[in-house]
Amino acid sequence: RAAVWDDDARLAAAATATQPGDLADLATAAQGVKADAAVPLTKAGHGALTTVDNAAMRPWLAGLANRDTAAAKIYFMGDSITEGRGSTLRARRFSDRVGAQIRRTLGVTGGARGFIGADRSTNVGAWGTEWTYAGGTPGTASVGPARYAKSLTSGMTASIVVTGTSVDVWTCKTSGGGTINVSVDGGATVATIDTSGASLIDGQVTRVSLGASGAHTLLLTHASGGSAFVDGVDIFDGDETGGVRVYNGGKDGLTSTQYVQNNFGFSGPGALDTIMTTIAPHLIVVGLGTNDWGQGITAATVKTNLTGLIAGCRAAIPTDPTFVLLPVYQRNITPVGGGVWADYVAAMYEIAAADAGVTVFDLSLRMPAVAADTFGLYSDVSHLNDKGNAVVGDALAQFLMPR
């Protein structure tokens, strides 16, 4: 049976549903879950809370309810689709749209642009180059919340213009790491950050006041010692003690396999555990798997990887967050080995069916395959354009709202 998306039709179906199958179909349609998927009714959909409670959403909704006194935090894991390749502005990525929509709907005051990594993929376009570097060419590293960072050495500076009241400067400790002086609007040093440590430890945060709300230039200057890694800045505009914050950890080309290996997973350099501990997100949206499909990594391996990724996050975060798996639409590519994308989507449903803290928001049901698109949602064979990002952002924000 086809999923029903029209609200009036959905309500009419609710009024006449007399069998468990009817109720399950109604609830699953509201979330975007396949009617034929083996998903318990309790997992059937946050979008149908009037019909059935989705227990997986409770940690997120509790964090969101506390937004007046503590920030509700969302972390997006994923590949270039999550990172925003195909969007013309950072604010037009679906992750940024989700935060903006939730703030607007709930009347959250204040709020700035959130976390901006020190680097981005060259494929995202001009909006990925907001930082200015001088005094040399900085090195790069796959660390920090955005999985992109820069390393400064003697004589180098990094600057960025931000609008807000304060920032958290994110850095990464390394053996022999140097020090960084921080100044605002051409003034004297207001903070000195020591990035030296016994080993690589990510997620180091230094709060810097900017003064009154408005445009400010933040300058980071390498002061002494060895390479100093800069992850980026988290920008606040009157929302230091509340609001809704979004962190985008999408990285061009990533597979789920890479996310659980060194430099991305929970062991070795650049591990995610300290980042997760520092952010302590209430919600983690996982948009991985399509690059695995394209590269011939099996659906079974993706299931194992995502299960391990969820376990690693839980071990690192003080409170158990909500996990939303985000299987994307079918890209217009020929996968290595001829795998079927539906098998990878099914693997995500299997994870959710076995884990009370995981749910699925299925873009493969809400979005046409790229090859069949008649709405103009994609920028190429794989990526969303601004319109496509808006469709995803609007739908996901609605899914995440309390009912």
Side-chain angles (χ1 to χ4, degrees):
R1 285 166 286 186
V4 178
W5 301 111
D6 180 77
D7 286 341
D8 292 334
R10 191 172 66 203
L11 291 173
T16 58
T18 57
Q19 299 179 19
D22 294 329
L23 188 60
D25 285 352
L26 166 66
T28 54
Q31 182 196 6
V33 176
K34 292 180 178 177
D36 294 332
V39 181
L41 189 58
T42 55
K43 308 288 293 180
H46 171 59
L49 279 180
T50 54
T51 304
V52 60
D53 180 22
N54 185 341
M57 299 301 294
R58 293 174 188 171
W60 160 244
L61 293 175
L64 185 61
N66 200 37
R67 62 191 177 275
D68 291 339
T69 56
K73 300 176 182 179
I74 309 173
Y75 187 83
F76 285 83
M77 295 181 179
D79 46 42
S80 56
I81 296 172
T82 297
E83 184 182 3
R85 183 172 175 179
S87 59
T88 59
L89 293 173
R90 186 186 298 272
R92 292 177 180 170
R93 302 183 296 181
F94 71 79
S95 60
D96 293 69
R97 286 181 177 275
V98 165
Q101 288 275 36
I102 293 174
R103 294 186 201 102
R104 186 181 305 116
T105 302
L106 296 181
V108 175
T109 58
R113 300 179 62 197
F115 186 84
I116 298 180
D119 194 16
R120 286 316 252 176
S121 166
T122 57
N123 292 320
V124 300
W127 64 257
T129 56
E130 296 174 78
W131 286 85
T132 299
Y133 297 96
T137 302
T140 60
S142 296
V143 295
R147 315 313 291 154
Y148 291 91
K150 290 288 192 182
S151 62
L152 305 181
T153 56
S154 179
M156 292 186 188
T157 63
S159 62
I160 186 171
V161 177
V162 299
T163 298
T165 51
S166 67
V167 297
D168 280 346
V169 179
W170 278 67
T171 55
C172 182
K173 287 185 176 294
T174 59
S175 178
T179 60
I180 298 170
N181 287 338
V182 183
S183 61
V184 178
D185 296 331
T189 297
V190 295
T192 297
I193 303 172
D194 183 359
T195 70
S196 64
S199 61
L200 193 153
I201 306 174
D202 210 345
Q204 308 302 301
V205 173
T206 303
R207 177 67 55 85
V208 175
S209 175
L210 300 175
S213 177
H216 299 278
T217 300
L218 183 74
L219 178 67
L220 310 181
T221 303
H222 184 276
S224 64
S227 297
F229 285 89
V230 178
D231 293 344
V233 290
D234 200 2
I235 308 168
F236 302 87
D237 195 6
D239 59 339
E240 286 84 352
T241 58
V244 178
R245 307 201 65 74
V246 173
Y247 300 82
N248 187 311
K251 188 175 176 70
D252 196 0
L254 278 192
T255 64
S256 69
T257 297
Q258 289 171 308
Y259 242 100
V260 297
Q261 291 174 342
N262 287 354
N263 296 324
F264 298 100
F266 291 88
S267 63
L272 273 167
D273 51 0
T274 51
I275 295 172
M276 291 293 100
T277 301
T278 300
I279 296 176
H282 303 92
L283 168 66
I284 298 176
V285 180
V286 184
L288 292 165
T290 187
N291 282 335
D292 300 78
W293 169 61
Q295 295 178 27
I297 299 169
T298 67
T301 298
V302 170
K303 181 179 178 180
T304 299
N305 289 342
L306 295 182
T307 301
L309 192 61
I310 290 167
C313 287
R314 284 187 172 136
I317 299 172
T319 55
D320 195 6
T322 292
F323 291 88
V324 174
L325 300 181
L326 191 73
V328 300
Y329 45 84
Q330 182 164 317
R331 297 154 60 204
N332 189 17
I333 64 170
T334 302
V336 174
V340 178
W341 176 235
D343 293 340
Y344 295 76
V345 177
M348 299 183 203
Y349 282 109
E350 291 168 5
I351 294 171
D355 191 325
V358 182
T359 191
V360 174
F361 187 73
D362 192 346
L363 293 182
S364 74
L365 290 180
R366 291 181 174 269
M367 308 282 287
V370 175
D373 176 35
T374 60
F375 304 107
L377 303 178
Y378 304 108
S379 64
D380 56 27
V381 299
S382 297
H383 301 97
L384 298 161
N385 58 20
D386 286 344
K387 184 178 181 180
N389 272 284
V391 169
V392 175
D394 289 349
L396 184 54
Q398 184 181 33
F399 174 72
L400 298 175
M401 290 293 295
R403 300 293 178 90

